[in-house]
Amino acid sequence: MNPVAIRPLWLLVLLPLACPAAPGANARAAPKQVPELTAPPAPAAVAAPAPARAPRPSAPGGVTPSRDQVRTMIDEVARQYGVESKLVRAVVAAESNFNANAVSRVGAVGLMQVMPATAGDYGVTSTTALFDPKTNLRTGTRHLKRLLDKYKGDYGRVIMAYNAGEGVVDRTNNHVTYQETLDYTEAVIGHYRNNGGSAPTTGALAKVQVLRGMRNRGQARRLLKKYLDPSLLSLKVKPTLALRSLNPALHAVGPESRPMFELDMQAMR
């Protein structure tokens, strides 16, 4: 028989201490590592939808007042607000040709083609109400009165501001070059004069012609900038002297001197 190896007693006692014990009912488990909490990524910014464009007003049906009836209403409203009736008539003629149900492509309404937003400044918040001839005339005439007060009776500025907006007139110092506004100003002044209006308007018409010239020159500059090929501006030249003489410091000056360069007519053909 092989002799049984007897291990030292102290080794048997220490072995259980060296081996990790399985966690029992009373064993204290090591604390679990809690993953660090991070805030969820912010959702991507969503572009706000563009505001819906207000629908174009629809003209009501029914019989509209005649031209003579509109003229009578104009005289009454103009007298009420202290505006020359001939000016109001001229605006009505140019804006709607006396059609109480007229609607422009941008949504201006009625005899004086009042924008609903402008009407709101004068307490008219219903687009339907703007189709009422009397309401429309009152609103448009009140707006004319305010412009007349602001521009101290300058019919040219008033007419331009009625069409283009006073903000444009103020920003440009009355140098409005919109084609529509220039045509409109001439049309209103033409109607005003044909109706016997006598307020000074010659200066306004002269200003329109100046602004037309500014507009045309501006268009010409824009066209040149857009379409002109800079290479067309280059000139074909050839030296007329020896290379040594092309140095300006060595070039002779006097009545018998020759130009350093001349146009190369062959190359330009």
Side-chain angles (χ1 to χ4, degrees), residues 195-216:
N195 289 330
S198 58
T201 52
T202 303
L205 290 177
K207 183 67 174 289
V208 168
Q209 294 306 314
V210 171
L211 293 173
R212 286 193 189 280
M214 292 174 58
R215 174 184 172 82
N216 294 337

Side-chain angles (χ1 to χ4, degrees), residues 139-182:
T139 306
T141 303
R142 288 178 66 189
H143 189 52
L144 275 178
K145 173 63 175 176
R146 192 177 70 78
L147 294 175
L148 285 164
D149 291 342
K150 176 177 180 176
Y151 296 118
K152 304 185 186 311
D154 184 339
Y155 276 28
R157 285 180 183 259
V158 168
I159 294 167
M160 283 190 172
Y162 193 91
N163 177 262
E166 56 195 289
V168 176
V169 171
D170 295 343
R171 278 197 310 274
T172 63
N173 192 25
N174 199 33
H175 287 73
V176 184
T177 56
Y178 298 156
Q179 183 68 47
E180 176 187 337
T181 302
L182 299 178

Side-chain angles (χ1 to χ4, degrees), residues 86-141:
K86 294 181 178 66
L87 176 61
V88 180
R89 286 190 188 186
V91 170
V92 170
E95 291 283 1
S96 67
N97 195 26
F98 292 84
N99 179 7
N101 284 345
V103 180
S104 77
R105 56 183 175 80
V106 297
V109 172
L111 289 167
M112 298 188 75
Q113 291 291 275
V114 181
M115 292 295 292
T118 302
D121 294 340
Y122 299 95
V124 180
T125 57
S126 167
T127 304
T128 303
L130 277 179
F131 283 105
D132 174 67
K134 205 70 169 285
T135 301
N136 192 284
L137 288 172
R138 287 197 186 102
T139 306
T141 303

